[in-house]
Amino acid sequence: MTLFEEEVVATAAPSGPSSRVRLTVAYDGSGFRGFAEQKTVPTVGGALRAALEKVLGHPIELTCAGRTDAGVHAWGQVVTFTTFPRHDDAAAELDVELLRRSINKMLEPAVVIRDAAVAAPDFDARRSALGRRYRYTVLNGPVLDPFTAKVAWHIEGPLDLRAMQMACDPLIGEHDFRSFCRQPSGHPPGPLVRRMAAASWIDLEDGRLRFDVEANAFCQQMVRALVGTLVDVGIGKRKAGEMAGILRAGSRSAAGQIAPPHGLCLWEV
């Protein structure tokens, strides 16, 4: 059985009715230079597109809900693309479950499709997204845990979780987050207004702390800059009351360090 209802021979070019497909993808970003495809380095998008084209038998164009940086992980990345049947039978239906299993056999465990479905023709992973939720994990304690080292930032010194939580309060709402975003090189700093719905720290016990943040959209390195600045508050380098001023400054130099990428996960779209 093929991905469509009948066994067919692949044609040179796509024909027949198209299907818009939505994938929910999880991946370990450790071995990739981010999601966005690049010619000379391995990326999640490049690996996923190559596998899909091999199975489907024709070129595709992937759209993702958010481009993760090198080393960043995902549990709920959403991807869309358009595919065509390999013959002219208008009744052919795409077997998305077979597609999911086929791709997972090729890419797992680094990349896994958690869910696959036929979407509305106008559904677009990026433009249809109402918000994104990220999680960042910190391991706070004297000893590094080798089993979580790839997915958590290890900080030895004690962190003031209460101060870090207080510093989250000014972030809620609509603000210009230029102070926490990497500006494109060669361009003058411009406004980067985002609407943040939630930002909080959770004590998972055993030294594990998790930062959950949700907004309508994020700019490059925004979550990592937020975490780095909040950790600066936690170690006493900054005060929680400084956060509002950092936002108003509109300058990356006003904020704190960039947290390493391996603790970050795109959790949900």
Side-chain angles (χ1 to χ4, degrees):
M1 182 177 180
T2 66
L3 292 176
F4 293 87
E5 288 184 331
E6 301 177 9
E7 186 86 30
V8 293
V9 178
T11 57
S15 62
S18 65
S19 296
R20 189 68 172 164
V21 180
R22 183 193 74 237
L23 305 178
T24 303
V25 185
Y27 50 85
D28 175 357
S30 302
F32 298 100
R33 295 292 295 174
F35 188 94
E37 190 165 353
Q38 303 178 52
K39 292 183 178 180
T40 59
V41 294
T43 65
V44 178
L48 183 58
R49 180 191 56 77
L52 285 165
E53 289 183 350
K54 184 174 182 180
V55 173
L56 294 169
H58 65 77
I60 63 166
E61 182 176 347
L62 287 180
T63 301
C64 65
R67 296 181 177 184
T68 50
D69 293 334
V72 175
H73 316 293
W75 174 250
Q77 172 69 279
V78 176
V79 175
T80 49
F81 63 92
T82 298
T83 185
F84 302 84
R86 295 185 179 185
H87 58 87
D88 295 326
D89 184 356
E93 294 183 3
L94 177 66
D95 187 339
V96 290
E97 178 57 22
L98 180 57
L99 173 65
R100 187 188 69 81
R101 294 198 306 267
S102 299
I103 299 302
N104 284 351
K105 287 181 180 179
M106 297 171 66
L107 298 181
E108 63 187 7
V111 180
V112 174
I113 297 177
R114 294 175 49 219
D115 179 70
V118 175
D122 61 346
F123 182 81
D124 182 274
R126 182 170 65 88
R127 294 181 177 86
S128 300
L130 301 177
R132 286 90 169 163
R133 181 176 295 128
Y134 281 86
R135 287 182 170 180
Y136 195 100
T137 305
V138 170
L139 179 63
N140 187 210
V143 179
L144 175 67
D145 179 358
F147 296 104
T148 62
K150 290 175 60 176
V151 294
W153 180 16
H154 179 224
I155 299 175
E156 293 187 32
L159 293 171
D160 186 341
L161 186 60
R162 183 173 178 272
M164 292 162 66
Q165 185 61 48
M166 289 176 59
C168 291
D169 293 342
L171 302 174
I172 306 301
E174 189 169 271
H175 306 285
D176 185 339
F177 281 92
R178 276 181 295 174
S179 294
F180 299 97
C181 296
R182 180 180 180 181
Q183 291 281 351
S185 59
H187 295 276
L192 291 168
V193 177
R194 300 292 187 267
R195 186 176 64 256
M196 187 165 291
S200 63
W201 286 92
I202 300 173
D203 187 351
L204 302 175
E205 301 182 352
D206 299 327
R208 292 177 300 130
L209 307 175
R210 191 180 75 210
F211 178 62
D212 288 343
V213 61
E214 179 182 341
N216 63 325
F218 292 85
C219 48
Q220 190 173 14
Q221 294 187 345
M222 178 173 162
V223 181
R224 292 168 57 198
L226 286 169
V227 171
T229 305
L230 291 167
V231 165
D232 282 349
V233 171
I235 63 178
K237 186 177 180 180
R238 297 173 181 267
K239 296 184 182 299
E242 295 179 34
M243 189 62 76
I246 294 172
L247 269 174
R248 290 193 298 268
S251 172
R252 181 66 194 88
S253 61
Q257 61 181 315
I258 296 285
H262 66 272
L264 182 59
C265 181
L266 172 56
W267 190 255
E268 186 179 7
V269 178

